[in-house]
Amino acid sequence: MWIGWIEFDILLGDVHSLKEKRSVVRPVLAELKRRFDVSVTEAAFQEQYRRTVIGAGLVAADRAQLVDVLAAVERFVAARPELELLSARQREFHSDD
């Protein structure tokens, strides 16, 4: 069994309040869950309205599937015009590690 996650440091575009931030971040989280069947969260900067960290994680039977899903999640986030991806960090572990 393989466990993996990816974390995105994101700068939000034309956002001027926490309410506007939620209106940008929540649909992204929902679409990641729906499209890729991953667990997602806003992991940091909850009180800053122009910045966020989004994390996605999953468990897969083999490493190839895990890598494919995490790469697809990264492409999806990077392609969003309302998000400026500052960095992405990815980790993978086998259950025997």
Side-chain angles (χ1 to χ4, degrees):
M1 173 172 59
W2 285 87
I3 304 117
W5 71 87
I6 190 162
E7 209 175 62
F8 303 103
D9 188 1
I10 295 170
L11 182 64
L12 301 171
D14 192 27
V15 173
H16 303 288
S17 69
L18 291 174
K19 187 175 181 178
E20 286 181 34
K21 176 185 180 178
R22 281 192 306 274
S23 73
V24 171
V25 172
R26 281 187 179 169
V28 172
L29 296 178
E31 186 63 16
L32 285 168
K33 262 182 166 172
R34 187 193 70 75
R35 186 178 289 196
F36 302 105
D37 197 24
V38 293
S39 296
V40 295
T41 189
E42 182 181 4
F45 301 116
Q46 284 91 350
E47 299 302 317
Q48 294 181 21
Y49 63 85
R50 295 256 355 257
R51 195 84 186 271
T52 191
V53 171
I54 292 176
L58 73 144
V59 175
D62 58 63
R63 186 176 182 277
Q65 179 188 11
L66 180 83
V67 170
D68 288 347
V69 172
L70 293 178
V73 167
E74 184 172 5
R75 284 191 303 274
F76 174 81
V77 171
R80 298 294 293 232
E82 70 274 22
L83 308 177
E84 181 180 337
L85 183 57
L86 300 176
S87 68
R89 196 170 54 144
Q90 181 175 321
R91 296 291 303 258
E92 305 154 10
F93 292 99
H94 191 268
S95 58
D96 294 335
D97 289 350

